[in-house]
């Protein structure tokens, strides 16, 4: 029984920093930094990261920047398709 409890606690302690690091990496932030923060402050760093990402995604300037990047990416793809033909 104690082994199961220790294993589940260890899994939670390791899983949350990995999740924090992965979430940060997918949004263009440093995996190692957020993984280290997740190891030091497991629950707090996750909520701080979520708040930062929410603030970034709700910012109108960031939305315009993401839309501009998407437009440029499609224009580049179309240009490459024309060059291949």
């Amino acid at each position: 029984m104690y082994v199961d409890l220790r294993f589940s606690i260890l899994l939670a302690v390791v899983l949350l920093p990995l999740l924090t690091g992965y979430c940060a990496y997918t949004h263009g932030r440093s995996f190692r930094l957020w993984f280290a923060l997740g190891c030091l402050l497991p629950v707090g760093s996750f909520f701080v990261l979520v708040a930062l990402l929410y603030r970034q995604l709700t910012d109108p300037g960031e939305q315009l920047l993401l839309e501009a990047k998407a437009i440029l990416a499609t224009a580049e793809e179309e240009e490459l398709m024309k060059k291949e033909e």
Side-chain angles (χ1 to χ4, degrees):
M1 181 168 134
Y2 291 114
V3 174
D4 294 340
L5 182 62
R6 288 180 184 175
F7 180 72
S8 62
I9 290 171
L10 178 66
L11 183 65
V13 167
V14 171
L15 187 63
L16 198 55
L18 284 174
L19 181 64
T20 304
Y22 175 74
C23 188
Y25 177 74
T26 58
H27 289 284
R29 298 181 183 264
S30 172
F31 174 84
R32 289 181 183 172
L33 172 69
W34 283 98
F35 179 77
L37 288 173
C39 289
L40 295 174
L41 303 166
V43 177
S45 64
F46 184 74
F47 286 118
V48 168
L49 177 66
V50 168
L52 286 174
L53 295 178
Y54 177 75
R55 191 176 114 206
Q56 178 185 6
L57 292 177
T58 57
D59 183 23
E62 288 290 330
Q63 291 295 326
L64 289 174
L65 183 61
L66 291 174
E67 289 176 15
K69 285 181 181 180
I71 291 170
L72 287 174
T74 55
E76 268 186 25
E77 287 178 13
E78 289 176 2
E79 188 175 315
L80 287 175
M81 295 296 274
K82 287 181 182 178
K83 286 182 180 180
E84 288 179 359
E85 292 176 357

